Amino acid sequence: MSDLIPAGSDAVAPSAARVALADDVPSIEELFSFAREAELRVKTLRMTIEDRVVNAKGEQLTSYEVQLQHPGRVRVTTRRSTEPMSRDYLIWLSDGETATAYDAARKVASVRKLPDRVTGSEQADVPHFARQYVPLTRLPAGSLPEAFIHPHGLFRNVLVTGPLAVVGTQPVADREAVIVRARHPRSAKVLVDRPDRSIDVGIARDSGFLVLLTERIGEAVTRHAEVTALELDPTLFESAFELKLPADVRQVY
């Protein structure tokens, strides 16, 4: 994927090598290649993810609402409360050059230039496993939306560290998802580095986007993240990429 253009470039956007999966059971390599190119199949995207995590505090629910327009424009709203009037939400907005982050609960905002990438890390003469993925539109680093829309890092750094298998299909967000299971992946924190740990990911057969991520220890589900709404090439308005900060907001670097 080293031929992806950086956000804001005037070059012609690359196209996906594969537009659809065959009707038979795809191989792991075919699935992962199909998923890596998912963002190349759309110009705009709207996605909602619900993430349920079970830990010592009980079950915690976080929702992510993503609105994306290539190249470079994206808005990610993260909500930690189901109350409609709650101010416990964060907004991350980018135009491809800078990112604005706003924490409504704390009334804190920051505007920063997106970090530069390592020069030469995406060149063709760099080994494939060492190349840096350059997306059309950048998302918050290390976030769940990034893993669902840009799954290259999840595949390379987590899933392939354990045995992989296609275990079936299931409907997710009114789409058929092909389920891949990674058993006891080695890329994990010490507390969950166990032989009975597994991760399932669901890849939408029609688009290649990740729509499901389930982590288990034994039979107990410790995390279940699922796309509840997915719109390909929806009409997005300019207001989606505008953010008017309150007068009393504190600006931090």
Side-chain angles (χ1 to χ4, degrees):
M1 300 302 291
S2 59
D3 58 342
L4 295 187
I5 61 173
S9 171
D10 293 329
V12 177
S15 59
R18 185 188 295 267
V19 297
L21 286 175
D23 292 334
D24 57 357
V25 179
S27 67
I28 299 294
E29 183 178 355
E30 288 175 325
L31 272 173
F32 284 4
S33 296
F34 186 65
R36 287 189 186 99
E37 296 182 333
E39 70 165 345
L40 304 182
R41 300 184 184 94
V42 298
K43 295 180 179 179
T44 61
L45 177 74
R46 187 181 288 120
M47 176 186 285
T48 301
I49 309 169
E50 288 191 355
D51 183 25
R52 297 179 184 274
V53 176
V54 180
N55 52 31
K57 297 180 181 179
E59 183 178 278
Q60 296 178 310
L61 173 64
T62 304
S63 67
Y64 302 89
E65 300 166 9
V66 181
Q67 297 183 79
L68 178 150
Q69 182 182 61
H70 291 318
R73 306 179 79 189
V74 64
R75 181 191 187 108
V76 180
T77 303
T78 305
R79 301 182 186 276
R80 301 193 186 97
S81 174
T82 57
E83 295 294 329
M85 299 301 293
S86 173
R87 295 191 59 80
D88 191 5
Y89 66 87
L90 298 91
I91 294 175
W92 192 89
L93 191 71
S94 178
D95 60 3
E97 299 293 334
T98 62
T100 300
Y102 172 54
D103 186 331
R106 297 170 55 208
K107 293 186 178 179
V108 172
S110 66
V111 180
R112 302 176 182 175
K113 183 180 181 298
L114 289 173
D116 294 330
R117 298 185 179 276
V118 178
T119 302
S121 61
E122 72 281 359
Q123 297 299 322
D125 57 349
V126 175
H128 180 74
F129 64 85
R131 293 179 198 170
Q132 190 171 24
Y133 178 77
V134 182
L136 286 176
T137 299
R138 294 169 72 171
L139 288 150
S143 67
L144 195 64
E146 182 187 43
F148 273 54
I149 297 173
H150 303 146
H152 177 77
L154 175 65
F155 294 161
R156 184 183 65 179
N157 301 328
V158 180
L159 298 186
V160 299
T161 63
L164 293 166
V166 176
V167 296
T169 62
Q170 71 179 70
V172 180
D174 297 324
R175 300 171 187 272
E176 182 184 17
V178 181
I179 309 301
V180 176
R181 177 166 298 163
R183 297 186 181 277
H184 49 84
R186 304 302 297 173
S187 179
K189 296 180 180 179
V190 173
L191 291 178
V192 291
D193 187 6
R194 299 166 43 134
D196 59 349
R197 178 173 180 256
S198 65
I199 300 177
D200 288 359
V201 295
I203 298 170
R205 183 181 281 275
D206 62 343
S207 65
F209 285 106
L210 258 67
V211 291
L212 181 72
L213 186 150
T214 303
E215 299 184 25
R216 294 182 178 87
I217 294 179
E219 296 299 321
V221 175
T222 58
R223 184 176 199 177
H224 181 83
E226 181 175 337
V227 169
T228 57
L230 177 60
E231 297 179 58
L232 309 179
D233 290 321
T235 299
L236 299 179
F237 299 99
E238 285 296 317
S239 58
F241 306 105
E242 297 173 354
L243 179 61
K244 295 182 179 180
L245 297 174
D248 58 348
V249 71
R250 289 187 298 118
Q251 293 271 5
V252 298
Y253 174 72

